[in-house]
Amino acid sequence: MESEVKEYPKFVASMRKTHTILIPSMLPFHMALFEKALLVSGYNVEIMRNEGPDVVTEGLKYVHNDTCYPALLVIGQFIDNLNHRTDHDKLVLLITQTGGGCRASNYIHLLRKALDKAGYGFIPVVSLNASNLEKDSGLKLTYSLIKKIAAAMTYGDEIMYLFNKTRSYETEAGSAKKLALDWVEKIGEQFGKKKGVSYRALRKNLNDIAKSFNALSLDLSHAIPKVGVVGEIYVKYAALGNNHLEDFLVSEHAEVMVPGLYGFILYCLYNSIYDSEFYGHGKIKKLGSKFIIWYLRRREKLMIHSMKHTKFTPMKYFSHTKDLSEGILSHGTKMGEGWLLTAEMMELVEIGYDNIICTQPFGCLPNHICGKGVMKKIKSLHPDANIVAIDYDPSATKVNQENRIKLMLAIAREKIEENEDAKL
Ligand code: SF4
């Protein structure tokens, strides 16, 4: 008997005007700018902001409980959102596909299955990917849209970086967040006027953003623990995935540093070059990757230069970060966050964030290997590194996670006191 291939509803070009694309939440500043970039490119979009226990409950209801926790949360957030609205016939759901060997490439099928079971099987699902998957989609990654998304990512990374650099030291509560949101709004307005995307506009805006954060009133008189956050991309960036980890760290009087999205995108691009050189296929993809790397590196340089005349130490060039995993993990280790996770931990230690939280979702074998698996080696190279792996899954309690983080912070504070004593 021949097996039937199920036809799923498609997002076609004519739906752009009539349908709203729902997008899972992740990085708040970036997502707000991506939303605007898509809006001005002719798509109606809405970032989902629903959280709470119902998200996990819905995820557990429709996704097998040994599936990666990020998939469970993303699918749970979609179903929970759909349960609270009535415009189902005017919706499209967007999910990303990495295109690599990791299970993230297949979440789309899990989502479609969950929608079927929940009675929403008629809602089209659209994939955002750069791997030529789901080719018949009405969402087209045109050069113009890619340029806007790249600009949004550049602004998002710089705003997030400077927000994290200042929020724990502000003398006026909420001033760093207000400034960050003002910039998101201002850049969004520029996108609406077809501005803010060119190289020249980026240079001006990035310099102005850095200058404005530099002018914030900060109290830098006391040393506080500096904590870096690494891990699987969703639980690293999504407050829904990591139980608002960044807010918790700030409430504990720590400075937080979360490496930007540039690292992950450049990591994926370098991986496709590695594949081509190592396995001899994908020559056109390799050329495309080289071009995008060149394009992004020019903008990365603008971000780094924008901080030249400020009190902030800029982020490192990715070409430097990339080399830091050498001798620890091969660049062939590229499932999940692969060698990037190791390289980011090494970079954080190098720039003074030697207290590190490695966020690990349930079901994520690659990141356990490239995160937890390399901690011993990193500690042998940097004995002062204070690294803790925190697991995130439906049954892990927030209290337990926070207690483990508090223990890590206690060690960090002891180190600060020791160093201050040494200075006397
Ligand atoms: S990186 Fe981890 S959590 Fe993400 S798809 Fe792969 S195994 Fe799952």
Side-chain angles (χ1 to χ4, degrees):
M1 204 172 86
E2 275 184 35
S3 62
E4 271 183 43
V5 179
K6 191 165 171 18
E7 275 290 322
Y8 288 97
K10 292 193 169 45
F11 173 59
V12 291
S14 60
M15 291 176 173
R16 281 186 208 166
K17 287 199 169 65
T18 53
H19 285 58
T20 300
I21 304 175
L22 284 188
I23 304 181
S25 55
M26 211 163 83
L27 293 146
F29 304 134
H30 294 70
M31 296 307 280
L33 291 165
F34 291 152
E35 188 177 21
K36 195 71 190 175
L38 284 160
L39 272 172
V40 300
S41 303
Y43 299 93
N44 299 314
V45 282
E46 183 186 320
I47 310 289
M48 295 185 291
R49 294 192 168 86
N50 52 311
E51 290 195 17
D54 285 354
V55 169
V56 178
T57 307
E58 292 303 323
L60 282 170
K61 216 192 277 180
Y62 297 107
V63 181
H64 197 284
N65 67 356
D66 70 3
T67 304
C68 315
Y69 187 50
L72 192 142
L73 281 180
V74 167
I75 294 170
Q77 193 181 33
F78 274 127
I79 306 274
D80 178 55
N81 194 290
L82 295 175
N83 288 347
H84 290 91
R85 56 198 302 156
T86 53
D87 54 345
H88 301 133
D89 56 338
K90 292 278 176 269
L91 292 177
V92 178
L93 314 186
L94 183 139
I95 194 159
T96 51
Q97 282 183 287
T98 53
C102 215
R103 287 182 274 179
S105 300
N106 299 311
Y107 287 176
I108 192 164
H109 308 296
L110 292 180
L111 174 59
R112 283 182 175 139
K113 200 171 157 196
L115 289 173
D116 259 347
K117 280 201 212 161
Y120 299 120
F122 56 91
I123 301 180
V125 178
V126 65
S127 159
L128 182 68
N129 71 80
S131 310
N132 228 4
L133 299 165
E134 305 265 329
K135 289 178 221 168
D136 52 358
S137 162
L139 177 68
K140 294 280 173 240
L141 276 181
T142 58
Y143 183 54
S144 156
L145 179 56
I146 291 173
K147 275 199 320 190
K148 287 186 197 103
I149 288 180
M153 177 172 81
T154 312
Y155 291 125
D157 268 12
E158 172 144 324
I159 294 170
M160 179 175 81
Y161 185 84
L162 292 170
F163 171 61
N164 282 332
K165 280 268 185 200
T166 50
R167 69 185 294 204
S168 302
Y169 303 99
E170 61 192 12
T171 54
E172 189 189 328
S175 55
K177 185 157 190 182
K178 185 181 176 308
L179 184 58
L181 292 175
D182 283 351
W183 271 112
V184 169
E185 200 182 324
K186 209 181 274 185
I187 302 294
E189 278 167 11
Q190 290 186 21
F191 283 179
K193 293 177 192 157
K194 296 192 175 10
K195 289 183 177 164
V197 177
S198 70
Y199 185 78
R200 189 193 277 196
L202 267 162
R203 181 167 51 202
K204 178 171 183 336
N205 282 331
L206 292 172
N207 286 343
D208 290 348
I209 292 170
K211 259 190 239 157
S212 65
F213 274 92
N214 196 44
L216 271 182
S217 167
L218 305 178
D219 176 4
L220 301 166
S221 57
H222 301 289
I224 59 173
K226 296 174 110 187
V227 182
V229 177
V230 295
E232 186 275 341
I233 187 163
Y234 186 80
V235 290
K236 173 167 75 166
Y237 289 140
L240 174 61
N242 61 32
N243 286 326
H244 291 262
L245 174 61
E246 289 170 54
D247 293 342
F248 170 71
L249 287 167
V250 173
S251 75
E252 288 292 311
H253 308 293
E255 181 193 324
V256 195
M257 180 48 56
V258 188
L261 197 51
Y262 253 76
F264 183 76
I265 301 298
L266 287 169
Y267 156 80
C268 294
L269 292 163
Y270 277 110
N271 284 345
S272 69
I273 296 177
Y274 181 94
D275 275 349
S276 174
E277 284 170 359
F278 201 77
Y279 301 112
H281 60 66
K283 296 212 165 62
I284 294 175
K285 201 170 167 193
K286 177 180 165 183
L287 279 178
S289 296
K290 281 193 167 174
F291 171 73
I292 304 173
I293 289 173
W294 168 82
Y295 184 91
L296 289 179
R297 285 184 63 182
R298 288 186 75 216
R299 279 141 188 86
E300 180 192 38
K301 199 171 174 182
L302 290 181
M303 274 194 282
I304 290 173
H305 276 217
S306 73
M307 291 176 215
K308 218 172 174 181
H309 301 296
T310 67
K311 54 180 157 294
F312 308 115
T313 313
M315 57 280 264
K316 296 273 178 185
Y317 283 102
F318 187 74
S319 52
H320 171 79
T321 309
K322 178 170 141 292
D323 293 342
L324 294 175
S325 62
E326 267 170 27
I328 305 175
L329 209 57
S330 154
H331 280 183
T333 316
K334 50 192 176 50
M335 292 285 167
E337 274 55 39
W339 55 265
L340 173 71
L341 217 170
T342 307
E344 284 185 343
M345 284 199 269
M346 291 293 285
E347 183 196 334
L348 284 165
V349 174
E350 192 180 274
I351 60 175
Y353 295 85
D354 51 5
N355 309 294
I356 298 175
I357 296 173
C358 185
T359 58
Q360 315 224 119
F362 174 78
C364 181
L365 182 64
N367 286 314
H368 274 70
I369 293 168
C370 308
K372 219 177 205 168
V374 298
M375 283 179 191
K376 199 169 165 200
K377 177 75 181 171
I378 294 179
K379 283 182 186 172
S380 76
L381 294 168
H382 298 281
D384 270 348
N386 177 20
I387 313 175
V388 63
I390 303 290
D391 290 330
Y392 291 89
D393 68 64
S395 58
T397 65
K398 194 174 178 210
V399 173
N400 191 14
Q401 289 160 347
E402 291 183 354
N403 280 343
R404 298 199 54 222
I405 295 168
K406 280 182 184 171
L407 201 62
M408 187 269 283
L409 289 173
I411 297 170
R413 288 197 189 96
E414 263 172 35
K415 268 197 295 174
I416 290 175
E417 275 167 27
E418 275 168 25
N419 287 344
E420 280 182 351
D421 285 349
K423 271 187 230 151
L424 291 174

